[in-house]
Amino acid sequence: MADATLDRIQGRGKLTVGVILSGAPFGYIDPATQAQKGLNVDIAKALAEKLGVELETVTVTPPNRVQFLQQGKVDVLIANMQYTEERAKILDHVPTPYDRSGGAAVTRKDSGIKDWADLKGKPVCISQGSNYAQPLAETYGAEIKGLPSQPDSLLALKGGNCVAAVHVGATVGLLLVDRADEWKDFAITIPTELIPSDSVIWLRKGEVDTSAALDKALKELFASGKILEFAKANRMINTTYIEGEQKKFAVAQ
């Protein structure tokens, strides 16, 4: 007997995945076609295909993604949620990460902020539910301002409500490139990323069979080069981690 979620996925012929569409390269709406694009979306499609079912995506946000999963509105989350011990207490995850990423601080070029310690006592915008809140506050003494989404946070930065906005480095790095005119006065001024962590697929507690099925599929996607293909197609700035995983799983197979 499979666990209840895997039974449901197979029974209805559909995998329902919660995705965040806050920006390339992970998830966004193509302005030309209105289609959902990004690494997370591509991985979701490929996993559904591996399971032999259709894909249904549900747009989630940092404040509601865990609730959507716990309430059964989605089967799994592929939603820019890095592994933390706190999250692992309430949710399970697929053992194989699909990426590793840390936080980057976007600030005004003339802010004088060059190190994480420079944020002490200063207002820093993040998305609500972000795993960057704790290290920013406890390690670096920043004053945290949680906004509903990354776009809201970046808007607050532009409006002068915070001195920095901290989000996944790959996303804000690409944003600064793609919207160079709009963001000409801003840059990632701290050279290191905050707490680089594994990006994993989250599911409800006890869903051992669903986890195993997705883990097997994910390893196959790494070994075949598909994950790297998706990353490059979505213009991931740094694919070092994914390249390493591809080699590892290709050898294992």
Side-chain angles (χ1 to χ4, degrees), residues 175-189:
L175 173 86
L176 294 177
V177 171
D178 286 349
R179 291 156 65 180
D181 287 347
E182 183 184 343
W183 289 92
K184 64 182 186 297
D185 297 327
F186 296 82
I188 294 170
T189 55

PDB file of all heavy atoms in Angstrom, residues 175-189:
ATOM      1  N   LEU A 175      17.322  39.604 -11.665  1.00  0.00           N
ATOM      2  CA  LEU A 175      16.464  40.794 -11.716  1.00  0.00           C
ATOM      3  C   LEU A 175      17.287  42.049 -12.023  1.00  0.00           C
ATOM      4  O   LEU A 175      16.894  42.881 -12.846  1.00  0.00           O
ATOM      5  CB  LEU A 175      15.748  40.957 -10.376  1.00  0.00           C
ATOM      6  CG  LEU A 175      14.945  42.244 -10.198  1.00  0.00           C
ATOM      7  CD1 LEU A 175      13.540  42.072 -10.757  1.00  0.00           C
ATOM      8  CD2 LEU A 175      14.864  42.658  -8.739  1.00  0.00           C
ATOM      9  N   LEU A 176      18.441  42.179 -11.366  1.00  0.00           N
ATOM     10  CA  LEU A 176      19.280  43.356 -11.576  1.00  0.00           C
ATOM     11  C   LEU A 176      19.838  43.412 -12.996  1.00  0.00           C
ATOM     12  O   LEU A 176      20.072  44.489 -13.537  1.00  0.00           O
ATOM     13  CB  LEU A 176      20.429  43.366 -10.559  1.00  0.00           C
ATOM     14  CG  LEU A 176      20.032  43.545  -9.087  1.00  0.00           C
ATOM     15  CD1 LEU A 176      21.254  43.453  -8.188  1.00  0.00           C
ATOM     16  CD2 LEU A 176      19.295  44.863  -8.857  1.00  0.00           C
ATOM     17  N   VAL A 177      20.025  42.244 -13.594  1.00  0.00           N
ATOM     18  CA  VAL A 177      20.507  42.178 -14.981  1.00  0.00           C
ATOM     19  C   VAL A 177      19.375  42.519 -15.953  1.00  0.00           C
ATOM     20  O   VAL A 177      19.532  43.339 -16.866  1.00  0.00           O
ATOM     21  CB  VAL A 177      21.071  40.774 -15.300  1.00  0.00           C
ATOM     22  CG1 VAL A 177      21.366  40.629 -16.790  1.00  0.00           C
ATOM     23  CG2 VAL A 177      22.326  40.503 -14.488  1.00  0.00           C
ATOM     24  N   ASP A 178      18.220  41.886 -15.748  1.00  0.00           N
ATOM     25  CA  ASP A 178      17.104  42.027 -16.679  1.00  0.00           C
ATOM     26  C   ASP A 178      16.436  43.402 -16.632  1.00  0.00           C
ATOM     27  O   ASP A 178      15.871  43.854 -17.624  1.00  0.00           O
ATOM     28  CB  ASP A 178      16.037  40.962 -16.398  1.00  0.00           C
ATOM     29  CG  ASP A 178      16.468  39.583 -16.868  1.00  0.00           C
ATOM     30  OD1 ASP A 178      17.472  39.481 -17.587  1.00  0.00           O
ATOM     31  OD2 ASP A 178      15.793  38.591 -16.497  1.00  0.00           O
ATOM     32  N   ARG A 179      16.499  44.045 -15.467  1.00  0.00           N
ATOM     33  CA  ARG A 179      15.855  45.358 -15.328  1.00  0.00           C
ATOM     34  C   ARG A 179      16.891  46.399 -14.903  1.00  0.00           C
ATOM     35  O   ARG A 179      16.712  47.152 -13.962  1.00  0.00           O
ATOM     36  CB  ARG A 179      14.711  45.255 -14.317  1.00  0.00           C
ATOM     37  CG  ARG A 179      13.560  44.400 -14.868  1.00  0.00           C
ATOM     38  CD  ARG A 179      12.688  43.771 -13.807  1.00  0.00           C
ATOM     39  NE  ARG A 179      11.956  44.742 -13.018  1.00  0.00           N
ATOM     40  CZ  ARG A 179      11.118  44.419 -12.025  1.00  0.00           C
ATOM     41  NH1 ARG A 179      10.899  43.142 -11.743  1.00  0.00           N
ATOM     42  NH2 ARG A 179      10.511  45.347 -11.322  1.00  0.00           N
ATOM     43  N   ALA A 180      17.976  46.389 -15.674  1.00  0.00           N
ATOM     44  CA  ALA A 180      19.141  47.214 -15.334  1.00  0.00           C
ATOM     45  C   ALA A 180      18.819  48.701 -15.228  1.00  0.00           C
ATOM     46  O   ALA A 180      19.311  49.390 -14.323  1.00  0.00           O
ATOM     47  CB  ALA A 180      20.247  46.984 -16.355  1.00  0.00           C
ATOM     48  N   ASP A 181      17.993  49.214 -16.124  1.00  0.00           N
ATOM     49  CA  ASP A 181      17.660  50.647 -16.082  1.00  0.00           C
ATOM     50  C   ASP A 181      16.885  50.991 -14.818  1.00  0.00           C
ATOM     51  O   ASP A 181      17.181  51.981 -14.145  1.00  0.00           O
ATOM     52  CB  ASP A 181      16.829  51.036 -17.318  1.00  0.00           C
ATOM     53  CG  ASP A 181      17.675  51.081 -18.576  1.00  0.00           C
ATOM     54  OD1 ASP A 181      18.919  51.051 -18.457  1.00  0.00           O
ATOM     55  OD2 ASP A 181      17.098  51.120 -19.678  1.00  0.00           O
ATOM     56  N   GLU A 182      15.909  50.150 -14.520  1.00  0.00           N
ATOM     57  CA  GLU A 182      15.051  50.388 -13.358  1.00  0.00           C
ATOM     58  C   GLU A 182      15.842  50.303 -12.054  1.00  0.00           C
ATOM     59  O   GLU A 182      15.556  51.010 -11.094  1.00  0.00           O
ATOM     60  CB  GLU A 182      13.926  49.345 -13.362  1.00  0.00           C
ATOM     61  CG  GLU A 182      12.922  49.501 -12.257  1.00  0.00           C
ATOM     62  CD  GLU A 182      11.897  48.376 -12.257  1.00  0.00           C
ATOM     63  OE1 GLU A 182      11.763  47.667 -13.273  1.00  0.00           O
ATOM     64  OE2 GLU A 182      11.235  48.199 -11.216  1.00  0.00           O
ATOM     65  N   TRP A 183      16.867  49.427 -12.027  1.00  0.00           N
ATOM     66  CA  TRP A 183      17.624  49.161 -10.808  1.00  0.00           C
ATOM     67  C   TRP A 183      19.058  49.690 -10.882  1.00  0.00           C
ATOM     68  O   TRP A 183      19.948  49.185 -10.204  1.00  0.00           O
ATOM     69  CB  TRP A 183      17.619  47.654 -10.507  1.00  0.00           C
ATOM     70  CG  TRP A 183      16.280  47.181 -10.056  1.00  0.00           C
ATOM     71  CD1 TRP A 183      15.279  46.681 -10.845  1.00  0.00           C
ATOM     72  CD2 TRP A 183      15.770  47.204  -8.730  1.00  0.00           C
ATOM     73  NE1 TRP A 183      14.174  46.381 -10.081  1.00  0.00           N
ATOM     74  CE2 TRP A 183      14.450  46.689  -8.776  1.00  0.00           C
ATOM     75  CE3 TRP A 183      16.296  47.595  -7.495  1.00  0.00           C
ATOM     76  CZ2 TRP A 183      13.658  46.572  -7.640  1.00  0.00           C
ATOM     77  CZ3 TRP A 183      15.511  47.466  -6.360  1.00  0.00           C
ATOM     78  CH2 TRP A 183      14.203  46.966  -6.436  1.00  0.00           C
ATOM     79  N   LYS A 184      19.259  50.712 -11.694  1.00  0.00           N
ATOM     80  CA  LYS A 184      20.630  51.213 -11.931  1.00  0.00           C
ATOM     81  C   LYS A 184      21.313  51.739 -10.671  1.00  0.00           C
ATOM     82  O   LYS A 184      22.538  51.762 -10.586  1.00  0.00           O
ATOM     83  CB  LYS A 184      20.631  52.281 -13.020  1.00  0.00           C
ATOM     84  CG  LYS A 184      19.867  53.557 -12.693  1.00  0.00           C
ATOM     85  CD  LYS A 184      19.905  54.518 -13.874  1.00  0.00           C
ATOM     86  CE  LYS A 184      19.274  55.862 -13.544  1.00  0.00           C
ATOM     87  NZ  LYS A 184      17.827  55.745 -13.211  1.00  0.00           N
ATOM     88  N   ASP A 185      20.540  52.151  -9.678  1.00  0.00           N
ATOM     89  CA  ASP A 185      21.120  52.694  -8.444  1.00  0.00           C
ATOM     90  C   ASP A 185      21.343  51.639  -7.368  1.00  0.00           C
ATOM     91  O   ASP A 185      21.777  51.954  -6.254  1.00  0.00           O
ATOM     92  CB  ASP A 185      20.212  53.795  -7.881  1.00  0.00           C
ATOM     93  CG  ASP A 185      20.092  54.984  -8.824  1.00  0.00           C
ATOM     94  OD1 ASP A 185      21.087  55.280  -9.524  1.00  0.00           O
ATOM     95  OD2 ASP A 185      19.005  55.588  -8.886  1.00  0.00           O
ATOM     96  N   PHE A 186      21.027  50.381  -7.702  1.00  0.00           N
ATOM     97  CA  PHE A 186      21.089  49.295  -6.713  1.00  0.00           C
ATOM     98  C   PHE A 186      22.033  48.185  -7.165  1.00  0.00           C
ATOM     99  O   PHE A 186      22.307  48.030  -8.356  1.00  0.00           O
ATOM    100  CB  PHE A 186      19.689  48.715  -6.483  1.00  0.00           C
ATOM    101  CG  PHE A 186      18.717  49.684  -5.872  1.00  0.00           C
ATOM    102  CD1 PHE A 186      18.051  50.611  -6.667  1.00  0.00           C
ATOM    103  CD2 PHE A 186      18.479  49.696  -4.509  1.00  0.00           C
ATOM    104  CE1 PHE A 186      17.146  51.520  -6.113  1.00  0.00           C
ATOM    105  CE2 PHE A 186      17.583  50.596  -3.940  1.00  0.00           C
ATOM    106  CZ  PHE A 186      16.922  51.509  -4.741  1.00  0.00           C
ATOM    107  N   ALA A 187      22.523  47.438  -6.195  1.00  0.00           N
ATOM    108  CA  ALA A 187      23.434  46.325  -6.502  1.00  0.00           C
ATOM    109  C   ALA A 187      23.440  45.348  -5.333  1.00  0.00           C
ATOM    110  O   ALA A 187      22.935  45.641  -4.241  1.00  0.00           O
ATOM    111  CB  ALA A 187      24.846  46.847  -6.754  1.00  0.00           C
ATOM    112  N   ILE A 188      24.007  44.170  -5.581  1.00  0.00           N
ATOM    113  CA  ILE A 188      24.280  43.223  -4.492  1.00  0.00           C
ATOM    114  C   ILE A 188      25.651  43.613  -3.963  1.00  0.00           C
ATOM    115  O   ILE A 188      26.672  43.361  -4.603  1.00  0.00           O
ATOM    116  CB  ILE A 188      24.260  41.769  -5.006  1.00  0.00           C
ATOM    117  CG1 ILE A 188      22.835  41.409  -5.463  1.00  0.00           C
ATOM    118  CG2 ILE A 188      24.724  40.804  -3.914  1.00  0.00           C
ATOM    119  CD1 ILE A 188      22.735  40.090  -6.204  1.00  0.00           C
ATOM    120  N   THR A 189      25.675  44.271  -2.820  1.00  0.00           N
ATOM    121  CA  THR A 189      26.920  44.904  -2.337  1.00  0.00           C
ATOM    122  C   THR A 189      27.698  44.054  -1.342  1.00  0.00           C
ATOM    123  O   THR A 189      28.824  44.386  -1.001  1.00  0.00           O
ATOM    124  CB  THR A 189      26.601  46.271  -1.699  1.00  0.00           C
ATOM    125  OG1 THR A 189      25.628  46.097  -0.671  1.00  0.00           O
ATOM    126  CG2 THR A 189      26.064  47.248  -2.746  1.00  0.00           C
TER     127      THR A 189
END
